[in-house]
Amino acid sequence: MKRILLVLALAWIAVTASSCSDWLDLKPYDGVVEENYWNTKEDVNLAVIGCYSSMLNKNLITNMFYWGELRADMVAGGASAGSREMNVIRGEISPENTILKWNEFYTTISYCNKVIEKSELVRTRDVTFSDELYRQYVGEAVTIRSLMYFYLLRSFKDVPLVLKASDSDQQDYYPYNYNPETGVGNEQMMIDTLTTQLSRVMMHLPMAYNSTAESKGRVTRWTAMALLADIYLWQGNYIQCEKLCTQIINSKQFSLIPVYRSPEYVYDETTGDIVDTVYIANSTYVERWFNYLYVSGNSYESLFELQFPTVSVSLDDPFFDLFNYATTPRTVLVPNSLFLVDGLFPESETRNPAVKDIRSTNFQQGLVWKWVGLESAGTSKRVKQRFPHWMVYRYADIILMKAEALNQLALIGGDNQMMWEAYQLTRQIMVRSNAVENVDLKFIYPIDGKNLEQLILNERAREFAFEGKRWYDLLRFAKRNNFEGREYLMQAATNSAPPEKLESLKIKYGKNEFLYWPIFIDEVEMNKNLRQNEYYQ
C-alpha cells in the first residue's frame, strides 16, 4: 500500500499546491500505481515538483520558524500561545512537546530519495531523458534533501541519515542516529555527506530557469552553493564558505534592493557647527523594498524562497494563526518588543522619527509585520489564505556569511585588512537598511575582531528578524572554539527569559546537549535504534 500511496501523494501535492507560478501548476496522474509510473521524464519532473510542494506543508513551515526562533530572543508568547510554545520560551523543554515532531521533514526527504532512486530506472525506459536533465532532477532532489537535513542536524544534532527510499511496509525502517559500532553520533557524518553530495551535484543545476518565479522558487546552482556555504559556516570551514560566497557575489546575478537616503545635518546648539550627519530613507524606496522582498516575492535579491499561492483553499495558512488576527488579538507569537526597541533598534539621537532603520517596521502594532503587512508602515494586512513566500536564502545572507567567514579567518590569523573587508561587507547591509549609527560601535581601522563579531551577529538579527535564523545564529556563534562564545546565549536568555526563569535557563545553557532539541518521545518509543539526547535521557 505504501508503494501506491507515495506516488499518488507526490502527484496530489503537486496539483493542490498550484499557484500563480506556472511551474507548480501540473496535473496529477490519478490512479497510477508505482510500478506503472516511472516511465518518462515527465513522470520524474512531476515527482520533483512534488518535493517542492511537500515543503509548503503548514507544520513544516511552522517548525522552520519555531526551531529557528522560539529558543532565541526575538519572539514572545501572544494571546493564543499554548503550553508547548511557552514551555520552550521558558526553557522547559520536554520530549513530549509536539513542536519536536520531524515527520514532515522526513516525508520530504522520502520523496527526494524516491526521485533520486527512480530517475535511473526512467533513463532505461525513456530514450528522450537526457543525461543533462537527469542530473538536474537528481541535483534538485539532493539539494532539497540536504536542506531538510541541515534543519534537522542544527536542531537535534544527531538524527537518522536516511538516503534510501522506503518501498514497502515490510522494509526495515528503524535507522540509527549514531554509529552502533563506535557509539559516535551522526552529526559529523551527516555534514560530510551533505558537503560531498552538494559539491558533486551543484554544477549540474541550472543557473536560471525560464521564468523569474521558477528561478526563485526552484533550486538553482546558486541555491546549492548558498546552502553549501551555510553548512561550511556551521562546520567552521571558513575558507570554503568564503570562496562560495565570493563566487555568488562575483556572478552579478543578484543584488540588494536599493533604498536611497538623503542626509540631514546635526548642528551644535551652542556654536551652530555641523557635528554629525544622519540619513532619512526615501519612503518610496522603502515601500518598494518591503513589497519586492516580502509581499510580492521573487525579487532580484532572492536566491531561493518557498512560493505559496496567492489564494488557496487546499493549503492551510502557516502564517495567519502565528502572526495575525482578525478582530481580536489571538495571535500565537508576537515580537519581543522590549529587546528589539531597546537592544536592536534604538531611536536616533536626533529625536527625528524619520531617522530610523527601515527594518524596525518589521514589527509594529504588536505583530510580526513582515509576515502580516501589505505595506511597510500602515494598517493594511494580509487576509487568511494570502500567503507570503518563505525566504530561505537571499543576497543579504551571502554578504553576511562572507563577512562572518572573513572575520573568523582574520581572528585566527590576526589579519586586520581582512577584518576591514568583513566590516565593509557588513556596512553594505547597514547602509541599505539605513541602520542608525548608534546601534553599534562606529569602527575605524584597525578593527577589533571581537567587536566586529558582535556587530555581524547583531546585523543578522536585524536583517533576518523572524525568518527562522536567530537561534541557529546564536548557537553557531556560541559553539565556536569549544563554546568560547557561550556568552551570546547567556545574553539571549537575559533578553527573553521570564525573570523567575533566568537563572535556571542560564544554568541549562551551560550544558551543551541542552542546546539541541530532544527527540520526540513517540519516535524513541517506536524506533529502539534511536538514542535520546543525553540531557533528556
Side-chain angles (χ1 to χ4, degrees), residues 436-465:
V436 178
E437 292 289 356
N438 63 358
V439 297
D440 291 293
L441 294 175
K442 294 182 181 180
F443 286 79
I444 59 173
Y445 194 87
I447 296 289
D448 183 307
K450 295 305 291 184
N451 284 342
L452 180 55
E453 181 179 81
Q454 179 70 68
L455 173 63
I456 292 170
L457 180 60
N458 288 353
E459 192 56 27
R460 286 191 63 87
R462 286 186 279 269
E463 183 66 23
F464 307 119

Side-chain angles (χ1 to χ4, degrees), residues 307-498:
Q307 298 174 344
F308 287 90
T310 302
V311 177
S312 173
V313 295
S314 59
L315 288 173
D316 287 331
D317 190 329
F319 302 97
F320 193 87
D321 292 335
L322 280 178
F323 308 123
N324 211 338
Y325 63 83
T327 57
T328 57
R330 297 290 297 165
T331 187
V332 174
L333 295 170
V334 297
N336 179 4
S337 297
L338 185 63
F339 164 57
L340 292 169
V341 173
D342 292 344
L344 288 180
F345 297 101
E347 294 183 357
S348 167
E349 293 176 349
T350 66
R351 303 184 184 277
N352 184 339
V355 180
K356 64 181 179 181
D357 190 317
I358 64 173
R359 298 165 299 186
S360 64
T361 62
N362 282 337
F363 57 97
Q364 56 183 311
Q365 302 179 39
L367 298 172
V368 178
W369 194 252
K370 67 165 58 172
W371 300 131
V372 171
L374 289 173
E375 55 191 15
S376 176
T379 59
S380 298
K381 300 198 301 291
R382 299 176 190 271
V383 296
K384 193 174 178 68
Q385 304 277 356
R386 183 172 179 178
F387 311 162
H389 294 176
W390 178 257
M391 305 299 299
V392 180
Y393 288 110
R394 49 191 177 91
Y395 190 58
D397 241 329
I398 305 305
I399 292 174
L400 288 175
M401 280 198 285
K402 179 174 179 177
E404 185 178 336
L406 282 174
N407 190 52
Q408 292 305 313
L409 289 170
L411 283 168
I412 295 169
D415 188 332
N416 239 286
Q417 185 58 43
M418 191 176 288
M419 288 181 191
W420 185 252
E421 183 182 352
Y423 174 57
Q424 293 306 315
L425 286 165
T426 309
R427 287 282 300 171
Q428 286 185 39
I429 308 299
M430 297 178 70
V431 169
R432 189 278 293 271
S433 304
N434 201 43
V436 178
E437 292 289 356
N438 63 358
V439 297
D440 291 293
L441 294 175
K442 294 182 181 180
F443 286 79
I444 59 173
Y445 194 87
I447 296 289
D448 183 307
K450 295 305 291 184
N451 284 342
L452 180 55
E453 181 179 81
Q454 179 70 68
L455 173 63
I456 292 170
L457 180 60
N458 288 353
E459 192 56 27
R460 286 191 63 87
R462 286 186 279 269
E463 183 66 23
F464 307 119
F466 319 115
E467 295 185 25
K469 297 178 185 287
R470 177 61 170 169
W471 174 253
Y472 300 132
D473 288 346
L474 288 168
L475 184 53
R476 184 178 67 253
F477 275 70
K479 71 185 184 70
R480 289 191 177 113
N481 303 321
N482 196 25
F483 284 89
E484 185 181 86
R486 197 182 300 272
E487 184 55 37
Y488 290 123
L489 296 172
M490 300 302 181
Q491 183 57 53
T494 302
N495 295 337
S496 63

Side-chain angles (χ1 to χ4, degrees), residues 501-513:
K501 297 293 181 181
L502 178 57
E503 291 308 314
S504 64
L505 185 56
K506 285 187 173 183
I507 291 172
K508 291 176 181 178
Y509 277 172
K511 307 290 185 181
N512 293 352
E513 295 306 320

Side-chain angles (χ1 to χ4, degrees), residues 117-132:
E117 288 187 13
K118 295 300 183 180
S119 293
E120 184 66 38
L121 173 63
V122 176
R123 294 180 79 193
T124 67
R125 295 178 174 179
D126 184 354
V127 295
T128 68
F129 193 16
S130 66
D131 288 346
E132 180 183 7

